[in-house]
Amino acid sequence: MKKSLLSATIALAIGAVSAQTSAQSLIFKPNEDSRFNWASYEALKSTDLSGETVTVFGPWLGDEKASFESVIAYFEEATGAKVNYAGSDSFEQQIVIDTQAGSAPNISIFPQPGLAADLASKNLLTPLDNKTGDWVKENYAAGQSWVDLATFKNKQNEENLYGVFYRADLKSLVWYSPENFADADYEIPETMEELKELTQEIVADGGTPWCIGLGSGAATGWPATDWVEDLLLRTQSPSVYDQWVSNEIKFNDPRVVEAIEDFGWFIRNDDNVDGGSRAVAATDFRDSPKGLFASPPKCYMHRQASFIPAFFPEDTVLGLDADFFYFPSYESKGLGNPVLGGGTMLSITKDSKGARAFMDFIRTPIAHEIWMAQKSFLTAHKGVNIDLYSSESAKKQGEILRYSTTFRFDGSDLMPGKIGAGSFWTGMVDYAGGKDAKTVATEIQNNWDTLK
């Protein structure tokens, strides 16, 4: 009898400690801060997953892993499930091995959709229902884009939705010094036509508009591919971009050549670029934005993704010393507000009740807001409170995503490696050096043809 009472007492004590530990693991206490969508958290409690374990595998390590686990804690607390997340810097290789061996996790987090599409073609991903696709269209900015990016063909050549995008990255940004713009009385351009007018105005005033560097060691040339991709999205429909990425239209198609030449409008004029056009390929991309902070400025603008502040001078204060604006679209083209970037997609690689519930959870506002309120997280989810972003810069980038009409992944990342990380890179270096755009595009296409 005493042994039973002692066991019961120990069990109660352990339960109390477990509950306390779980409550302490919630980084923001439920229902305290009214900025969060706690209703979406409370709704989770109707799903009882006590005793169930959900395994999740992805690329996040370090701070990103910690942030994601802080999100997972809310799912565990509300449903009673246990979620085991494992991160790896060899995710792309390991998930192929695990799925083919039949030892896949319940949920896999793909850094880009190409690998997921390949697994879907082998029936190694679980399709989601049509209602999920309809929900994404309605609740994500540029919703159809996110559905398209997660829709693949299976082994039977049937198209299905296989994932939900969660975290996004942004490339369509132009960085500048607010102080330099104010001193010169320059205004932020809202259209591509205005951006080109500003470029010419800066030259007329005796300044240099752009700092551009393509250098990146063995990867030299990749920054130019981002320019071309952004400009193709601003001169042609998204379907043309998709057909180019898959080579359904040739690399030397006149529409693609036009986008390359549009990039040339910026870099093939010595007056437009710090050091002149010949310096573009020789300048390391990490060093190129430093001209923004010189006195007097060596340049006024730098087009680069959201990560570039890591290479700004150490004491740079975002929003004060440096800021950004959306790389604008052509008003005359009527193509809306396209955005180039990346994102992580969650897919089911081993089906279970818990896996389905976790996929539902990842669509809730609270699953996004918990990470938003920390750092390094952008989302296209329209149901979140953008005031929860951890900084004004993150909020501004989130708003760019929110008002986007088209979202596309970096095209070079989706092309075969020998093209997207090979001849496309070197071809852009050749173009920056003076080679004709059509010649460069034809050489890239000839390389692509050899792969077939």
Side-chain angles (χ1 to χ4, degrees), residues 69-127:
E69 288 179 335
S70 75
V71 174
I72 287 172
Y74 288 82
F75 179 77
E76 293 178 313
E77 179 73 12
T79 66
K82 173 65 178 174
V83 179
N84 293 327
Y85 170 75
S88 172
D89 55 7
S90 302
F91 168 82
E92 289 88 347
Q93 295 77 28
Q94 191 60 46
I95 193 58
V96 172
I97 295 170
D98 291 347
T99 51
Q100 291 178 343
S103 56
N106 295 116
I107 303 289
S108 294
I109 303 172
F110 294 92
Q112 52 99 345
L115 176 56
D118 184 57
L119 294 181
S121 72
K122 299 171 183 175
N123 290 348
L124 295 174
L125 296 186
T126 300

Side-chain angles (χ1 to χ4, degrees), residues 175 286 289 305-314 318:
W175 296 85
R286 288 157 286 214
S306 55
F307 69 80
I308 199 61
F311 302 104
F312 289 171
E314 192 173 332
L318 293 185

Side-chain angles (χ1 to χ4, degrees), residues 206 222 256 261 314 317 328:
W222 72 258
V256 180
E261 291 175 338
E314 192 173 332
V317 178

Side-chain angles (χ1 to χ4, degrees), residues 187-240:
E187 295 184 0
I188 303 300
E190 296 184 358
T191 67
M192 184 60 70
E193 289 90 346
E194 290 180 0
L195 180 61
K196 288 187 171 182
E197 288 173 5
L198 176 59
T199 297
Q200 293 170 325
E201 181 182 356
I202 293 171
V203 171
D205 290 343
T208 302
W210 295 92
C211 280
I212 303 173
L214 307 186
S216 186
T220 291
W222 72 258
T225 69
D226 286 357
W227 272 88
V228 173
E229 290 155 5
D230 246 338
L231 288 166
L232 186 60
L233 284 172
R234 282 153 180 74
T235 54
Q236 303 297 330
S237 68
S239 62
V240 170

Side-chain angles (χ1 to χ4, degrees), residues 417-428:
K418 291 184 178 180
I419 305 302
S423 56
F424 193 4
W425 288 353
T426 57
M428 290 301 95

